[in-house]
Amino acid sequence: MKNIVVIGAGTMGNGIAHTFAQTGFKVNLVDVSQQALDKGLKTITNNLDRIIAKGNLTEEQKAETLGNITTFLALEDAAKNAELIVEAATENLDLKMKIFKQMDDFAPENCILATNTSSISITKIASVTKRPEKVIGMHFMNPVPIMKLVEIIKGYSTSRETFDQIFEMSKTLGKTPVEVNDYPGFVANRILMPMINEAIETLYNGVAGVEEIDQVMKLGMAHPMGPLQLADFIGLDVCLAILNVMYDGFKNPKYAPNPLLVNMVTAGKIGVKSGEGFYDYSESKKAEKVSKMFAK
């Protein structure tokens, strides 16, 4: 398996494309606009430069990696010789199902269709295809080139052959694959998102401030990043979408998003990518300044 298609040149998509390309795979990167593709390639280039600066990559390897990536605006053209397609679009069920229908229509019969979804049912996504046995979840962690974990999620109809192929391929990428079954949130977000939601609840109830909550978790629990800073990094809109998927899937109130989270997303204060969330990122992306909304 050498020919990979990645759909989506955003944060996760360009990271996945980067990882495959640096490992020697030929990658067709697809997005709906040239601007998005150019931005994705620029991010990959900048990330490769950072690796070079640390002495872990040569200029020649950078050129080879970038040479392994070809950009496309049309999935039909990109998918002609695909052996694996990885969808990394926005965490939206309707959008993903629409994309998977197209993937199924355009990809060769033997092609495996994977999704990077962090919470949505693989079984439901697979239901719009004629090859549910070849549909699987590959939930990479952000930032993809650095983080080792990949959750490999089996849908109800995913074949053992498909699972084994993707599990072993993940190892060739230098990742550590973990087998997970298809339930809302899988493992990572089923545990992480309630923690983030509870941190927001703690802030909402006035138990402690933004910095204090993050400091307790960093110093007391040895977390490298506090839950509110992490929420900003993930994107509060993404956190909200994942919590809604779990709440809808389990009908359990413990997964219901906190009203403060809902209001912040509605107001467009979604974290690093909007310049403000629980912290103010107008001057620095290092969460050094609490948002004025929560400043004491």
Side-chain angles (χ1 to χ4, degrees):
M1 197 181 293
K2 276 292 179 185
N3 298 318
I4 313 298
V5 173
V6 177
I7 300 175
T11 300
M12 296 304 295
N14 71 59
I16 294 167
H18 171 165
T19 301
F20 273 106
Q22 192 175 330
T23 318
F25 292 88
K26 296 296 182 183
V27 180
N28 290 347
L29 181 60
V30 185
D31 212 309
V32 294
S33 74
Q34 190 60 48
Q35 182 181 9
L37 290 168
D38 292 343
K39 185 178 179 182
L41 283 178
K42 184 178 180 182
T43 299
I44 294 170
T45 302
N46 291 341
N47 288 337
L48 288 168
D49 287 337
R50 289 191 186 95
I51 299 172
I52 290 172
K54 293 178 181 177
N56 296 324
L57 196 74
T58 66
E59 288 286 350
E60 183 180 352
Q61 289 170 320
K62 171 189 169 181
E64 288 175 0
T65 299
L66 292 173
N68 283 334
I69 302 172
T70 306
T71 60
F72 288 83
L73 292 170
L75 176 58
E76 184 173 6
D77 296 331
K80 287 178 180 176
N81 299 309
E83 294 167 283
L84 168 66
I85 303 179
V86 182
E87 170 272 318
T90 305
E91 196 72 350
N92 177 286
L93 175 60
D94 291 339
L95 176 62
K96 288 184 184 294
M97 292 180 80
K98 179 181 177 182
I99 291 172
F100 262 78
K101 182 68 173 64
Q102 294 173 339
M103 288 161 64
D104 191 43
D105 288 342
F106 297 143
E109 281 186 21
N110 65 336
C111 181
I112 294 173
L113 310 181
T115 174
N116 183 56
T117 181
S118 57
S119 61
I120 296 172
S121 168
I122 308 304
T123 303
K124 186 171 285 189
I125 291 172
S127 70
V128 299
T129 75
K130 297 185 289 291
R131 61 181 95 187
E133 74 284 355
K134 288 187 172 292
V135 177
I136 195 165
M138 291 184 79
H139 179 208
F140 291 87
M141 304 293 128
N142 185 28
V144 180
I146 296 171
M147 300 292 278
K148 292 293 185 183
L149 174 66
V150 185
E151 286 186 302
I152 309 297
I153 307 110
K154 299 179 296 182
Y156 188 84
S157 301
T158 305
S159 70
R160 174 49 63 173
E161 180 185 4
T162 296
F163 176 84
D164 289 343
Q165 277 186 278
I166 296 303
F167 195 88
E168 292 305 316
M169 169 186 264
S170 298
K171 292 179 183 178
T172 70
L173 297 174
K175 303 301 183 187
T176 302
V178 175
E179 180 175 351
V180 178
N181 289 318
D182 188 21
Y183 293 97
F186 313 132
V187 172
N189 282 323
R190 185 168 179 172
I191 295 169
L192 174 63
M193 286 302 152
M195 183 192 75
I196 286 175
N197 201 40
E198 194 63 31
I200 298 170
E201 181 84 13
T202 304
L203 176 67
Y204 180 68
N205 289 333
V207 178
V210 170
E211 288 181 302
E212 288 76 13
I213 291 167
D214 278 353
Q215 201 167 36
V216 166
M217 297 305 290
K218 286 191 288 186
L219 300 181
M221 315 305 166
H223 290 197
M225 189 182 292
L228 299 176
Q229 182 187 356
L230 179 57
D232 277 354
F233 179 71
I234 294 168
L236 302 190
D237 54 336
V238 176
C239 294
L240 178 59
I242 294 168
L243 283 164
N244 280 330
V245 166
M246 293 196 294
Y247 183 53
D248 290 343
F250 291 115
K251 301 296 188 288
N252 188 324
K254 75 177 181 179
Y255 298 114
N258 180 272
L260 175 58
L261 174 61
V262 175
N263 281 346
M264 291 178 72
V265 172
T266 302
K269 308 296 185 183
I270 58 175
V272 176
K273 59 190 173 186
S274 72
E276 185 181 353
F278 294 105
Y279 293 87
D280 183 336
Y281 302 96
S282 57
E283 297 177 6
S284 170
K285 293 189 177 181
K286 295 183 179 179
E288 296 169 329
K289 181 182 177 184
V290 173
S291 168
K292 62 183 178 182
M293 176 77 179
F294 306 108
K296 295 178 180 178

